[in-house]
Amino acid sequence: MMCIHRFVLAVSASLVSASALAQPFQIVVTVTPPFSIPKPQWRDVLRYSFPASGGAAMSFTNIPNGQVNDPDSVAFRTPTDLFIGNRHGNGVEPGTISRFRLTDSGATATLVDTYTQPGLVGVVEICFNPLDKELFAAAVNDGIWRWKVDTQGVVTSNGSFARGRGWRGVCVEPSGNFLFATAAGSSIFRFRLNPDGTTTELTPYTINGSTNLHFFGLGPVAGELYVADIGSNKVYRLRVNADGSLTLLQSISSTNAIDCAFSPDGKEMFVSRHISGGIDRFNYVSATDTWAYSSTIPTDSLSGLATYVPAACPSDLTGEGFVDDSDFQVFAQAYNTLDCADPSMPLGCPADLNLDGFVDDLDFQVFVMAYNELICS
């Protein structure tokens, strides 16, 4: 996974932050049968709620087929801005990305838009650059695709690269300097993201013993990256070095592992299983710095998953962890527009902080309190 899409909550080098203790959260996961499938077999996106890490999983309202189309991956731009990558049968229809706004502490997911580009087929994993929130999508047969996302959440197509090659996983590490990708083999392909918008491909990193690497997850410890392997039944834990090189730290066994995500406090890891189905749960063992299997949530064949944490800071409209002048600019534009139904209002009307359908003085009262606090906690 999150790539910002794998761990929405900002974390430091420590595994656990005090504000994350006993925090409720959701796991959002796609039901994805293996291989290319006809439209009648396309499935929903599942959601499970948890009172805290280690707590019982409770089924939550699904995101239905039709709002998603053969879904395969999950990414959050902000805690309330959810994107779902759609395979569309890997060629039955052009690939797309569905966008949802989450409200009522995640109880409601409202479809607000859908994105594609000419020639895009079979969206597999999607992710965001943690710094500028640029959106990337791996395509099953041809290229890695890009969309710019401005501070108001407006999405604009930004081309593609690494064309003529099939991809599975894609992830940008927290510095925003390097992108990693997999291609259903044993290598992690590395790209430098240059300041001028170009990319430079670097020497791939091969994990001995891996056979079918797929999706990524950013670990709860800063600088760590996880990648799942359907073929070797492993999740590999790696360290990302300053130069973009990788160091293997550990492998964790999980049948048909395709993706992973973490609880807000970093004490639990969830691994989605392709083909055989299920979500494997692992507890972090601090004494040995390892992960220990605890149980499996039974499901059909899965693919991408991510952690949803209720927004601690709804006034952070740009999603960078602060409520500052950049958020005020977004709020002021929405305030001047007023009506959430106005076509010029940013998608999902995120500045409607009291959810009454308007951005007005009542929302400003909420916003200014957060602005005075500055730092999201």
Side-chain angles (χ1 to χ4, degrees):
M1 5 198 120
M2 55 215 191
C3 317
I4 198 160
H5 70 296
R6 299 297 174 245
F7 199 44
V8 177
L9 187 70
V11 293
S12 66
S14 63
L15 184 64
V16 181
S17 66
S19 63
L21 294 176
Q23 185 170 8
F25 62 96
Q26 293 178 25
I27 290 292
V28 183
V29 60
T30 64
V31 180
T32 312
F35 312 116
S36 301
I37 57 173
K39 199 166 185 176
Q41 296 179 24
W42 297 358
R43 304 290 299 276
D44 295 351
V45 172
L46 305 180
R47 297 197 291 165
Y48 295 91
S49 63
F50 300 82
S53 60
M58 295 170 283
S59 294
F60 210 61
T61 306
N62 293 351
I63 298 174
N65 176 40
Q67 294 189 14
V68 292
N69 295 278
D70 192 20
D72 201 18
S73 55
V74 183
F76 283 92
R77 186 182 73 93
T78 71
T80 59
D81 202 5
L82 169 65
F83 289 67
I84 305 289
N86 299 302
R87 296 187 306 179
H88 286 264
N90 287 331
V92 174
E93 297 172 347
T96 64
I97 298 173
S98 300
R99 184 179 189 178
F100 297 85
R101 186 190 180 200
L102 299 187
T103 54
D104 304 325
S105 297
T108 303
T110 303
L111 179 67
V112 295
D113 212 340
T114 302
Y115 308 102
T116 188
Q117 292 190 46
L120 176 60
V121 174
V123 173
V124 195
E125 186 167 33
I126 61 175
C127 78
F128 288 94
N129 184 324
L131 292 188
D132 63 11
K133 303 302 170 69
E134 184 176 11
L135 174 63
F136 295 85
V140 68
N141 292 321
D142 186 14
I144 298 171
W145 300 70
R146 311 173 71 164
W147 291 260
K148 290 183 177 180
V149 187
D150 68 17
T151 56
Q152 297 179 40
V154 176
V155 176
T156 306
S157 298
N158 194 31
S160 58
F161 64 98
R163 300 295 298 272
R165 300 150 68 179
W167 301 100
R168 297 299 184 271
V170 64
C171 180
V172 179
E173 48 77 40
S175 77
N177 293 323
F178 299 97
L179 177 145
F180 303 108
T182 61
S186 59
S187 294
I188 297 176
F189 296 85
R190 303 183 303 127
F191 297 85
R192 180 183 293 112
L193 299 176
N194 301 317
D196 63 358
T198 62
T199 60
T200 301
E201 187 164 2
L202 308 173
T203 304
Y205 176 79
T206 298
I207 300 178
N208 292 330
S210 66
T211 61
N212 196 353
L213 296 171
H214 266 64
F215 293 179
F216 294 97
L218 290 179
V221 174
E224 290 191 358
L225 178 72
Y226 290 69
V227 61
D229 188 337
I230 297 170
S232 69
N233 303 310
K234 299 284 187 183
V235 176
Y236 296 98
R237 179 183 178 186
L238 306 109
R239 180 174 62 248
V240 181
N241 303 308
D243 62 355
S245 62
L246 298 167
T247 302
L248 181 64
L249 301 177
Q250 182 186 2
S251 63
I252 303 106
S253 295
S254 180
T255 302
N256 301 139
I258 190 169
D259 201 0
C260 64
F262 300 86
S263 61
D265 60 7
K267 292 183 177 180
E268 188 168 15
M269 178 172 67
F270 300 83
V271 179
S272 53
R273 294 166 42 165
H274 199 47
I275 306 172
S276 59
I279 302 174
D280 285 344
R281 303 178 68 172
F282 295 82
N283 295 323
Y284 179 70
V285 182
S286 58
T288 54
D289 189 27
T290 56
W291 294 95
Y293 171 80
S294 61
S295 63
T296 299
I297 302 169
T299 68
D300 292 335
S301 175
L302 301 177
S303 191
L305 82 168
T307 306
Y308 164 76
V309 182
C313 202
S315 298
D316 177 19
L317 300 174
T318 58
E320 85 282 53
F322 299 89
V323 180
D324 55 17
D325 290 345
S326 65
D327 301 291
F328 179 75
Q329 293 173 14
V330 176
F331 183 88
Q333 180 179 3
Y335 182 91
N336 290 334
T337 304
L338 180 64
D339 191 341
C340 288
D342 191 304
S344 65
M345 185 69 79
L347 286 173
C349 203
D352 177 19
L353 300 175
N354 66 351
L355 304 176
D356 65 355
F358 298 91
V359 180
D360 52 21
D361 290 345
L362 295 176
D363 300 291
F364 182 72
Q365 293 173 21
V366 177
F367 178 84
V368 76
M369 292 176 63
Y371 184 89
N372 289 336
E373 292 291 333
L374 180 62
I375 298 175
C376 294
S377 59

